[in-house]
Amino acid sequence: MPIIEVKNLSKTYEYYKKQPGLLASVKGLFRREKLYVEAVKEINFNIEEGELVGFLGPNGAGKTTTLKMLSGILYPSGGEARVLGHIPWKRQKEYQKQFALVMGQKNQLWWDLPAMESFILNKEIYEVPDKEFKYNLAELTELLDVKDILDIQVRKLSLGQRMKCELIAALLHKPKVLFLDEPTIGLDVVAQKNTRDFIKKYNKEKKTTIILTSHYMKDISQLCQRVIIIDLGRIIYDGRLDDLIKKYAEVDDILVDEVEVDDVIREIFGNGGGVK
Amino acid sequence: MKLTAVKLKKCVKIWRLSLYNSLMQRMAYRFNFLLMCVGVFLQMILTLIFINVIFGFIDNLSGWTREQALIVVASYMIIEGLMWATCAYLAGISRNIRMGTMDLILIKPMDAQYLVSIWRGDPEDWVRVATALLVFIYAIVNLDIPLAVVLKNLIYYIILMFNAYVIVYSITLILKSFSFWFVEATSLNLFNQAVTRMSQYPTDIFAHKIAKIIFSTVIPLAFIATVPAKILIGGMNLYLFFSSCALAIIFFYSSRKFWLFALKHYSSASS
């Protein structure tokens, strides 16, 4: 039975348009043209236990929206989803204790305190027993090689070090499902590689089911066998990465690693494939 | 029963940790923290000077003597101080919604309302509470009420102050929940402050009939500081006492329902 089941999942956002200029803003005070954007349109996919799936697409394709629905942060406009047998947006504690979400552009650590203080708070929130906490923490700090920085204010850490601490904070309760939203964004090449190696090892050892989004092809090609490509809210590809790369015939594998995911998608599916 | 006790224990523990973290966070910037404490203290001194100036011209304010009015002022300060010291994150909700930083709190396996409420407390506002308690004691001593009477009324007063805290919390939560739709909602902060600050003086100064009705029902300002002070000074008034309890329950229940409703409309920020 799949760990993650998504059926016809949709999300529509409301927004309004404004012409440039002050006058338009004044007009906007009284009258606004309401517009709707379908960020996610009836998507379907299943993910089995232990899979590490790449979730790709250009900016605004609907990746983060999907992850947020699967995390229970957003209510969908339509469709169904089950993760570990739970409906995410019901926000049941049994579910919330079994998954984690890491966002490369947002942090959950207390900014002016050492990361350790955030870990301790998470330990209590996730009700991790003392012994398990110590064990998990030792294991994660060892794996990520961050023993020396746990007592330093988070804001003083480099982006790479901070991401490592974010990962620890998210994994201390041993989630069965992990959503990684651009965990390598903004990191330098070395830090990217370290993060990647860690994700690979962690997935292999713990059999954690992982959905990973990234703009770096290298992340995807080295970590995922299966990719789901979403664009303008629709899934345009769901299958093996190898097959996708074969379609990207003009360029060899080494070069594939160096390009951005968006370029690969654009090259393969073209504008006809729905890519902007 | 045992389960409730365990849950309660967890809530208290998380609250304690979040208070510690807030305090440690503030102490990381020593001078800023010190200045904030001094600032809070000065703010209160100003209010007290204002009261003194008023009573330099008049003997009573809508029937309240200086010491009696000071009890109202102190009661308000205690409630305001406690709100900031325990639920400071609520004030910043709209910003956190706009930036999407609340997302990572919403996925935690605890009641979202509880966590969002206690996530941060402003430690410098304990100075507000402490100063207010001193003003309170000063006023009581100068009131010429027998100690036995004060002690008896004090029990009612504490219950009424608890209700007042619940009412202020609920009003704040309801107003803040609008942030889920408005997103940019600094206006709500202003509105919230305007509303609650009106309760820092005896509400009898709002003499108009309609004002009286509004301030004891729709926006029950009277029950925030004036009613507790009234009962402390004048003794038990069953009607006011039970009204306060009923309002606290109604407001808390409604704010909870409204929060849950608003949360469903949350659209979050993009990555």
Side-chain angles (χ1 to χ4, degrees):
Chain A
M1 203 182 120
I3 288 267
I4 302 175
E5 295 170 272
V6 173
K7 241 188 242 163
N8 299 325
L9 195 66
S10 305
K11 177 76 189 177
T12 309
Y13 290 119
E14 237 175 59
Y15 69 109
Y16 75 95
K17 255 189 188 161
K18 187 191 96 63
Q19 303 296 326
L22 181 65
L23 189 67
S25 292
V26 175
K27 274 185 192 161
L29 284 175
F30 303 100
R31 216 194 140 106
R32 276 175 194 189
E33 192 186 349
K34 225 188 231 177
L35 296 166
Y36 297 94
V37 57
E38 288 180 277
V40 174
K41 296 176 197 166
E42 300 190 356
I43 59 168
N44 293 286
F45 61 82
N46 287 335
I47 292 176
E48 300 293 331
E49 189 176 357
E51 266 192 288
L52 202 173
V53 178
F55 199 44
L56 315 179
N59 289 329
K63 302 181 301 272
T64 305
T65 302
T66 307
L67 290 189
K68 281 182 179 171
M69 285 193 280
L70 294 180
S71 310
I73 297 170
L74 295 179
Y75 275 69
S77 314
E80 295 167 39
R82 273 178 193 277
V83 185
L84 296 159
H86 295 275
I87 297 170
W89 43 91
K90 279 196 173 168
R91 294 172 197 271
Q92 286 155 318
K93 288 185 186 57
E94 301 80 43
Y95 172 55
Q96 290 175 319
K97 275 187 188 174
Q98 296 185 72
F99 85 93
L101 167 69
V102 177
M103 296 197 251
Q105 313 213 32
K106 275 169 208 156
N107 60 71
Q108 67 156 318
L109 303 170
W110 287 62
W111 193 242
D112 294 306
L113 297 179
M116 195 60 195
E117 305 289 355
S118 299
F119 299 162
I120 292 170
L121 186 59
N122 269 9
K123 167 191 181 293
E124 296 303 333
I125 291 175
Y126 285 94
E127 297 171 39
V128 185
D130 290 341
K131 218 173 155 186
E132 208 180 309
F133 174 75
K134 271 184 199 153
Y135 181 81
N136 291 350
L137 185 65
E139 192 183 21
L140 289 165
T141 43
E142 177 78 38
L143 265 173
L144 285 160
D145 190 24
V146 286
K147 264 188 197 135
D148 308 330
I149 60 165
L150 297 186
D151 297 327
I152 301 173
Q153 271 189 336
V154 171
R155 73 183 178 93
K156 296 259 170 86
L157 301 177
S158 71
L159 194 59
Q161 291 172 322
R162 215 169 74 211
M163 184 40 68
K164 286 178 176 178
C165 291
E166 286 286 341
L167 282 166
I168 295 178
L171 296 173
L172 277 172
H173 63 283
K174 277 198 174 167
K176 288 187 183 146
V177 172
L178 177 60
F179 303 124
L180 294 170
D181 193 14
E182 304 189 19
T184 53
I185 198 158
L187 300 184
D188 64 39
V189 181
V190 180
Q192 276 188 25
K193 186 178 179 305
N194 288 340
T195 311
R196 228 167 13 234
D197 291 347
F198 170 76
I199 295 169
K200 193 168 195 171
K201 206 166 173 190
Y202 193 83
N203 167 260
K204 206 173 168 188
E205 279 177 14
K206 309 284 177 195
K207 300 275 172 278
T208 311
T209 312
I210 301 177
I211 299 187
L212 166 78
T213 82
S214 176
H215 281 288
Y216 304 115
M217 199 57 204
K218 208 165 186 173
D219 286 351
I220 304 300
S221 68
Q222 301 206 345
L223 292 175
C224 313
Q225 293 185 338
R226 175 183 166 197
V227 292
I228 297 174
I229 300 176
I230 183 169
D231 187 39
L232 297 174
R234 286 185 200 286
I235 288 179
I236 54 174
Y237 181 84
D238 181 354
R240 288 177 57 82
L241 179 69
D242 294 347
D243 299 340
L244 187 74
I245 289 176
K246 270 179 208 154
K247 289 189 189 179
Y248 196 59
E250 296 94 316
V251 192
D252 62 23
D253 283 7
I254 302 160
L255 212 64
V256 162
D257 278 356
E258 304 305 322
V259 296
E260 292 240 330
V261 170
D262 300 1
D263 297 332
V264 181
I265 299 171
R266 198 174 296 120
E267 189 70 33
I268 298 167
F269 298 97
N271 289 330
V275 179
K276 278 184 272 191
Chain B
M1 195 66 196
K2 203 182 156 199
L3 198 70
T4 322
V6 171
K7 269 188 192 167
L8 204 66
K9 211 174 141 194
K10 182 182 169 186
C11 285
V12 173
K13 207 168 189 179
I14 304 288
W15 183 54
R16 207 188 63 212
L17 279 175
S18 122
L19 283 184
Y20 283 175
N21 279 3
S22 302
L23 185 61
M24 287 190 287
Q25 183 139 311
R26 274 282 191 273
M27 290 198 291
Y29 306 96
R30 296 175 284 186
F31 290 107
N32 182 55
F33 183 48
L34 191 72
L35 271 179
M36 281 183 124
C37 292
V38 175
V40 165
F41 186 70
L42 287 179
Q43 234 181 26
M44 304 195 38
I45 297 293
L46 273 176
T47 313
L48 296 177
I49 290 175
F50 179 63
I51 291 284
N52 262 346
V53 169
I54 291 179
F55 280 96
F57 292 102
I58 52 175
D59 293 332
N60 75 76
L61 182 68
S62 305
W64 295 74
T65 66
R66 178 171 167 273
E67 282 69 28
Q68 289 172 340
L70 274 181
I71 296 216
V72 177
V73 173
S75 304
Y76 170 77
M77 283 172 174
I78 291 172
I79 300 290
E80 195 193 20
L82 283 176
M83 268 304 288
W84 281 108
T86 54
C87 301
Y89 193 83
L90 267 190
I93 255 192
S94 13
R95 191 185 61 238
N96 290 300
I97 288 177
R98 198 171 63 230
M99 310 290 286
T101 36
M102 213 168 77
D103 294 350
L104 292 167
I105 297 182
L106 293 179
I107 60 168
K108 298 220 175 332
M110 264 199 106
D111 185 77
Q113 181 191 333
Y114 181 73
L115 217 49
V116 164
S117 300
I118 58 121
W119 195 246
R120 215 190 77 216
D122 284 348
E124 64 274 10
D125 279 281
W126 289 109
V127 173
R128 199 184 295 272
V129 179
T131 322
L133 282 174
L134 288 179
V135 175
F136 180 79
I137 292 168
Y138 164 83
I140 290 275
V141 171
N142 287 289
L143 259 178
D144 290 333
I145 305 177
L147 189 66
V149 178
V150 169
L151 287 180
K152 198 181 98 196
N153 291 348
L154 200 60
I155 299 166
Y156 307 136
Y157 175 79
I158 290 169
I159 297 171
L160 287 166
M161 286 290 276
F162 175 76
N163 291 345
Y165 178 83
V166 172
I167 292 170
V168 171
Y169 169 81
S170 307
I171 292 176
T172 310
L173 185 69
I174 290 172
L175 287 174
K176 290 295 167 184
S177 298
F178 279 108
S179 317
F180 286 111
W181 288 279
F182 297 178
V183 180
E184 169 58 65
T186 328
S187 55
L188 295 173
N189 272 348
L190 288 174
F191 189 72
N192 194 13
Q193 278 173 13
V195 166
T196 45
R197 278 196 189 154
M198 273 197 266
S199 58
Q200 70 179 322
Y201 306 112
T203 42
D204 300 290
I205 61 174
F206 305 111
H208 197 279
K209 250 188 201 163
I210 295 175
K212 268 192 179 160
I213 293 172
I214 289 177
F215 290 154
S216 49
T217 52
V218 191
I219 318 169
L221 295 185
F223 290 89
I224 293 170
T226 308
V227 168
K230 226 173 221 172
I231 287 183
L232 181 78
I233 298 159
M236 186 54 148
N237 175 327
L238 282 178
Y239 171 71
L240 288 178
F241 186 83
F242 285 111
S243 300
S244 162
C245 295
L247 279 168
I249 293 169
I250 292 167
F251 267 76
F252 186 75
Y253 179 79
S254 320
S255 69
R256 171 83 186 163
K257 285 279 165 207
F258 190 64
W259 156 267
L260 290 174
F261 175 66
L263 201 55
K264 277 196 178 179
H265 285 261
Y266 182 41
S267 66
S268 182
S270 80
S271 62

